[in-house]
Amino acid sequence: MPANKNGPGKKKKGRRARLLVITIVLLLVAGVAYGAYWSVGTVRASFPTTDGTLQLKGLSGEVKVVRDDHGIPQVYADNAEDLFRAQGFVQAQDRFWEMDVRRHLTAGRLSEMFGSSQVETDAFLRTMGWRKVAQQEYDSKLSPATKKYLQAYSEGVNAYLEDHKGKSLSVEYAALEFENDYKPEPWTPVDSVAWLKAMAWDLRGNMQNEIDRSLAASRLSPQQIEQLYPSYPYERNKPIVEGGTVDSATKAFDPKGAATGGTQSSGGQNPATGGAAAGGLRSSLASLSSSLQKVPALLGPAGNGIGSNSWVVSGQYTTTGKPLLANDPHLAPQMPSLWYQMGLHCNRTSAQCPFDVAGYTFSGMPGVVIGHNKDIAWGMTNLGADVSDLFLEKVTADSYLFDGKQKPFVTRKETIKVAGEKSREITVRETNNGPIVSDRNDELVKVGAKAPVKDPAPDRAEGYAIALRWTALDPGKTMDGLFALNQANDFASFRKAAADFDVPSQNLIYADTKGNIGYQAPGRIPVRGKGGEAKGEDQANGQTAGQPGGQTGANGTPAKTDTNGDGKVDARDEARTDGKTDAQAPAPDGRTPAPGWDPAYQWSGWIPQSALPYDYNPKRGYIVTANQAVADKKYPYLLTQDWGYGARSQRINDLIQSKIKDGGKISTDDMQKMQLDNRSEIAALLTPYLLKIDVKGANERETKYVREAQKLLKDWDYNQEADSAAAAYFNAVWRNTLKLAFGNKLPKELRVKGQCLRVRPADDSRPQEDLDGNTRLVLECGERDGDVAQPDGGDRWSEVVRTILDKPEDSWWKTNGTRTNPGAKNRDELLERAMKDARWELTSKLGKDVTQWSWGRLHQLNLKNQTLGKDGSGIVKWMLNRGPWNLAGGEATVNAAGWNAAGGYDVIWVPSMRMVVNLDDLDKSRWINLTGASGHAYNAHYYDQTDKWAKGELLPWSYSAGAVEKTAKATLTLKP
């Protein structure tokens, strides 16, 4: 996977040239404007001290920080508090700007740094109350030990801040001081806890699908929408846990048990998807979707792309005789990388100092998130559990309707300080389902204005409000779980730690030095409705999820509800309150907005931890998690109906099977090569159809012109290498196929910005022509940003196309046309049109000569600083951003360099890191980060791993004290 030759040149030369230009430009600009100027010294002022001796306030003993030639720190201390105090100090050295921005994001305080442009985002975040919940967690949920570690970490950060101000913190602060004289506050433990909410937000499950399904109703029938969200292909793509059952008495999952009983509920149609007002959700939920997009997606854009790969192979199938574990989370590319590599080592492990762990963590958070200690290794992928629901709410100014009664909002005031301007004050209103998110934007007032609901339903008047129910808004103990995971030494302690991982819900994969492998699905996952399979912990205590007292009648039966808003509770309301799930009251499935006034749709508990799927030393000898279904169809609880569709996971399964058949063994090199697998499954499926089409242009020349491109696909192996012309052409054909078959038929709220079509007005039931014979058409332009528009080309769309590929007359293949440009009447005509359009598109982008095309020239990675690198001035962006790199891989591919087919070919998510852990010899493990250890522009470690990452290389991962000493390039001693 060669790096782009047009990408960054030699680092030293590039840095010197850039520093020279920065110095000249800023000398002129800042000298005139501010009577001062930036210099090379300004840029370098924040570079950390990595050699010698420094004093660190609060230490009880000496701490050593050993860095290798990539600046990756390994910290050694005599006690746990000193260990985390030093971790805070070192992360502040390398990444404080990133840490500071993150805590302002999670607290809804970005306006204090960046001004009024962030007020709307802050208001939305304050409404959700991430920081408030984090404070509740710290005050009431976390253990004394966890609080002690968090406090020590904060003290280390603050010790660094005491001696570093302005430009000595980072070059970004030098720029920010010119704007608003911003000064950072001391770090607090809650700043660290709140970062878990940002993680959970980007990994929250199917909320975007929930919105998109509703928006699609303005142009598509319920049957068409269901076609665009096909069921998971269990028969073709294996789930993580193959088999197993939940004991009906104990509610405990047994991975080796034979599945019995019913299957998880598919729910049926929620009331917000049909009925008399069908289609009206379009304008309302589009506004909500727009607001969601404005919340910075630190982990990645919403959609099927955000995910990960991890797999573990038992020693019976490895060359080492012990397990090998691989992991590569797929997240948003950014500068610096989301991850921070680090080792945390007690000089002598004991009950008082139990840590000897290394791996990947987040700046601003103590401990290690993914990695290994001396006994076990673990990886993570997004489980994708549906842990959030939107609820339609019938509201007045100070109350909302629930169970036939008006209930007062819980309210609070929030003051948003704005740099250079007066503060703003907002009132947050909350229902029993959560905060009213539709209050936070003038457009959001329209949310629910026309949301379709089934009768009976209360009169909507000027519209329903929308509330957000989300597990992350309940205080949890994930930080406890993180520290417990760092200390785990066997599968039992690993599972015990996982039980505290409330949110985000992640697939946790496991291996240990004794040769065992395993998997655990953790998380706080809701049971919806009165008819949930089993009572969760809260229900066992007589309490429903998120509701202090439950909503029942005097005799314990569900309370009757005035569901149609007529002020009476009568027979018309009976079907919605008797706890049954029939055509009038379908079982809630979380797929579309639910009626908040109806108790039948409330969360009624949590799936018991003991019932969540796990696996341990399965017979097959390996476990694969890549965002596919967790368990088979007979698993009794509803985890989600929006799994990834298993293209990556099944490919990994197939690669492992091909290596171990006939007695083969898998090596560390093999694991690394699997991470770089570029095969496109949709290409393997669709290409044979493309080659059979007799492409004809308007004339002989045009025919020859298009067939030149078509011939690229002949004998192609479906691998998307960066230098592949065939991959470039196929992906352009795929993009155009999706646009013609699906994209042009979607409502504007889902289509990409700038794509304008003449279409019939949405929900227009009048005759197609007026009295003069003119077709009723209006110009509608897409409204979505390119990285979240549809159809995005992910494995869901591959599955959609698979279901109709053998149906050449299916209506999806038919397109509208004009007298001069007829539309497609069947599959082959549409595919022919897509091949022609792809030829013209790539000619404009890559030139006429198809032999000079390459996938990497289309499919480029640019690394951007997440704040000033996106919204700063041109010169600041130039200073902080890096790229491009030409990349191999693609969407729904193991080497998941993701792109959005609706928006273009640019890389929008990547394997944000890669690791392969060798449980036979931990010092022979390997790892790589997307960028580098440093967050300081022009530091030698700002992006010193990116070229190697782009080539698919991994770095040696020294773990033992002896190995770390051999690779040491700098040693800093911290003294009390």
Side-chain angles (χ1 to χ4, degrees), residues 52-56 58-66 74-87 89-90 342-345 347 971-976:
T53 302
L54 291 175
Q55 283 191 316
L56 176 54
L59 287 180
S60 60
E62 190 173 281
V63 177
K64 289 193 178 297
V65 182
V66 183
Q74 305 285 335
V75 182
Y76 295 86
D78 289 329
N79 62 74
E81 291 96 315
D82 280 357
L83 189 66
F84 294 116
R85 191 172 285 110
Q87 184 184 18
F89 181 86
V90 170
M342 196 170 206
L344 300 170
H345 310 276
N347 288 321
T971 300
L972 176 66
T973 300
L974 300 174
K975 293 188 174 183

Side-chain angles (χ1 to χ4, degrees), residues 883-907:
W885 284 265
N886 292 352
L887 295 189
E891 176 58 58
T893 302
V894 177
N895 183 19
W899 56 288
N900 185 304
Y905 303 99
D906 289 342
V907 176

